[in-house]
Amino acid sequence: MATKRGMKTHSWDTKIVKKDGNEMTRNFQIQIPVLAAVGRYTIEVVLPKNSTHPLKQSGQIIVLFNAWNKDDEVYLAEEDLRNEYVLNDDGVVYAGWSRRLRGPNPARWNFGQFEPNILDCVLYLLENDRRIKKKPLKSLYMRSSAVWVSRILSAMINSQDDDGVLVGNWSGKYEDGNSPTFWNGSVKILQEYYDKKEPVKYGQCWVFSGVLTTALRAIGIPARSVTTYDSAHDTDNTMTIDKFIDEEGESVEDLNSDSIWNFHVWNDIWTKRDDLPGNKYDGWQAVDATPQEESSQRYQMGPAPLTAVKDGEVYAGFDAGFVFSEVNADVVTWVVKKDKNDEYIIQKTAKQLKNRVGSYISTKMVGGSQREDVTHLYKYDEGTREERKAFETAFSFGQGAKDWAGHLNVEEEGEDLVLELSTKEEDLRVGKPITCVMNVKNKSKESVTVNLTGVISSIRYTGDVWSLVKKEKFENVEIGGGRTVVKEIKLEPDEYIENLTDLNCLKFISIAKVLENKKFYVDETKFQLFNQDSIQIKFNKSPLQVGEETEVEVSFTNPLPIRLSYIKISIEGAGLAYLDTKTYRKSLHYDKTQTAKFKFTPRKPGKRTLLVDVDTTQVKDFKAAADVEVLPLKDSGI
């Protein structure tokens, strides 16, 4: 039996609330202090010696955090917030890129925190965290804190250093497991881990976030999945995303370890911060289970107070500096050279971009499926005095402050040539032609001659190059003073489809060389292709009924001018259907259809959502969802 913390005292108590004369029938109320550690407890009843029953009988209860109790550190005053961030077992995890925040449809996710073995799995994670083996009494005491529990779960959801739930894999090779794009929810992942006690393969950031949301809500901590577009990965705690070139303009790859991801998904939890001074840091805190960088020798992150992140107070909470760099780092190009000891030293700042990181920070709106923008909770508006002050505060505590501070905040020199990159098409779909456009503007009064090169590569959403797609040159291009020249590179589907990797991301780089003065100008942009609508979902009846088996037919039609092989069609839905997959080894040609039929028995009434995923060897992540009404169990009165 799961129950919630309630009393404001430090001690447990029981009282009889009902008794039946001289019979041995008593109803007891167990009063649980609000500071009780969450987890399993054994309740033991001791009977009189003259009883015909055994002298002792025991049972078990599970204590959870309580967002309904105003004295609990996770208390949420509004009922709609509790319903969303604790009770809602269905949600949205945003992906895409900064120009298309959701793609054609938002990515639905089955959190499923009330499904069988989910809470048991979360308790197993807390009970087997390696910290409890080193300091069991302290660890048990700390389990009264949502801050501590969320930090433990951020470490245990990934398998990086403690055989936790999920193996991260960004290689594009998933033959011995499932592609990260396969998953539509957390339930099967946590159930499989609890059953086998072995890490599940594979996940990337949105999967880690979805699973962590499930675990946090299951234990009673208000939580949500949060997506940041153009999210920075600062590997050296400088609060800047650093690109290094030498005096000849060549990239110094030995130093280039920072990156900007198309998007990154982590979590917010709601709790007080009694471990920090005052009450400024109460409220939303960022936590992250994706294994990026170590914190205290473990792959864990947070909870970092959003108020600290916003003000650049990187010393507050856990890992606030890392979160700050993800959402508000400056992108800096440094010119370096080697000294007499063959070590690189900074010569100057070539370029400092102050608004390229941390766009459109998004979560699901309370009570609906629309996007809510929460950027204002993480950062001030770009370019404002408050935002610059926050950056300067954060930078002063970073690793680069001592040696690099004098090189920052340098005004950029005016450029005679300006590159602007884009795609002609707004709705970018796999299987359709793509037109990459280079606008080259000559801001000077003199005519110039330019050699232009455009390079298009497929990339992972983390920014790492996967494969060269196309390279095209335009030589001796004349651009008059104050004039603009437009050049296009056309991509046909057969040129790029087989070069795509996870999430179908591409990078477009343009390099312009002015022949008169030998100057180089470089710019780049990223974009993502979304899969075409190609899935039809048909229930055999509507509405459905709790406890009555039903059937759904899922049809996938190949929308691409290539043959697709090894078709995997999967369904699942919170309170509706457990994960079920059918695999077809026969290849599917263009415009041909593969149909799969699934039987399932709805378990919960109300509006429910069936999630469908189709993966193939060549292209993955075809998604669809269908809402359906489920009636209560007949004559149940529910």
Side-chain angles (χ1 to χ4, degrees), residues 521-588:
Y521 299 85
V522 180
D523 199 14
E524 69 176 58
T525 189
K526 300 173 186 175
F527 54 93
Q528 182 177 2
L529 312 182
F530 297 100
N531 289 317
Q532 299 182 49
D533 296 332
S534 52
I535 299 172
Q536 297 293 322
I537 303 170
K538 183 179 180 181
F539 295 98
N540 66 342
K541 61 179 180 179
S542 181
L544 308 183
Q545 186 89 48
V546 169
E548 289 188 5
E549 186 179 74
T550 190
E551 185 177 76
V552 66
E553 180 179 281
V554 178
S555 299
F556 170 68
T557 302
N558 179 5
L560 306 178
I562 62 171
R563 184 176 62 181
L564 300 177
S565 58
Y566 201 75
I567 315 297
K568 289 174 65 175
I569 303 177
S570 303
I571 68 162
E572 70 174 298
L576 189 65
Y578 293 117
L579 178 63
D580 194 2
T581 302
K582 296 184 184 297
T583 302
Y584 303 91
R585 299 183 182 275
K586 185 178 179 180
S587 296
L588 194 65

Side-chain angles (χ1 to χ4, degrees), residues 67-70 74-82 270:
W68 281 257
N69 180 3
K70 63 182 178 61
V74 302
Y75 172 65
L76 277 170
E78 293 83 6
E79 184 70 18
D80 58 345
L81 298 183
R82 297 193 291 262
W270 179 273

Side-chain angles (χ1 to χ4, degrees), residues 475-533:
E475 296 187 338
N476 299 315
V477 178
E478 297 287 340
I479 310 177
R483 304 294 297 273
T484 298
V485 168
V486 178
K487 295 293 183 181
E488 297 180 351
I489 302 177
K490 192 74 170 283
L491 283 181
E492 297 297 336
D494 59 359
E495 292 181 287
Y496 67 79
I497 287 179
E498 294 188 358
N499 288 310
L500 296 174
T501 186
D502 302 337
L503 303 182
N504 311 325
C505 297
L506 295 168
K507 179 165 69 174
F508 177 29
I509 297 178
S510 177
I511 304 168
K513 179 182 179 181
V514 179
L515 300 185
E516 285 81 1
N517 58 19
K518 311 301 181 186
K519 282 188 176 181
F520 286 89
Y521 299 85
V522 180
D523 199 14
E524 69 176 58
T525 189
K526 300 173 186 175
F527 54 93
Q528 182 177 2
L529 312 182
F530 297 100
N531 289 317
Q532 299 182 49
D533 296 332

Side-chain angles (χ1 to χ4, degrees), residues 8 24 137 140 227 319 345 433 441 519 572 604 609 621:
K8 198 174 181 180
M24 297 297 295
L137 291 179
L140 183 59
T227 300
D319 309 308
I345 59 173
K441 183 177 181 179
K519 282 188 176 181
E572 70 174 298
K604 294 183 179 180
T609 303
D621 202 31

Side-chain angles (χ1 to χ4, degrees), residues 130 151 154-155 158 160-161 170 208 232-241 256-259 261 264 287-302 318-323 325-326 399:
R130 70 186 188 192
R151 187 161 174 81
S154 80
N158 69 70
Q160 194 75 14
D161 45 19
W170 287 263
F208 285 109
H233 182 183
D234 177 19
T235 61
D236 50 8
N237 192 34
T238 60
M239 308 302 151
T240 55
I241 301 306
N256 286 325
S257 57
D258 292 347
S259 59
W261 295 21
H264 181 47
V287 291
D288 192 353
T290 302
Q292 293 189 84
E293 299 293 328
E294 287 186 328
S295 172
S296 300
Q297 292 78 54
R298 298 193 71 184
Y299 282 94
Q300 58 191 353
M301 197 218 79
F318 295 99
D319 309 308
F322 188 78
V323 181
S325 67
E326 288 182 300
Q399 295 294 329

Side-chain angles (χ1 to χ4, degrees), residues 269-282:
I269 67 164
W270 179 273
T271 185
K272 291 181 180 179
R273 291 305 299 261
D274 293 334
D275 57 318
L276 297 174
N279 58 8
K280 172 184 176 180
Y281 302 112
D282 294 349

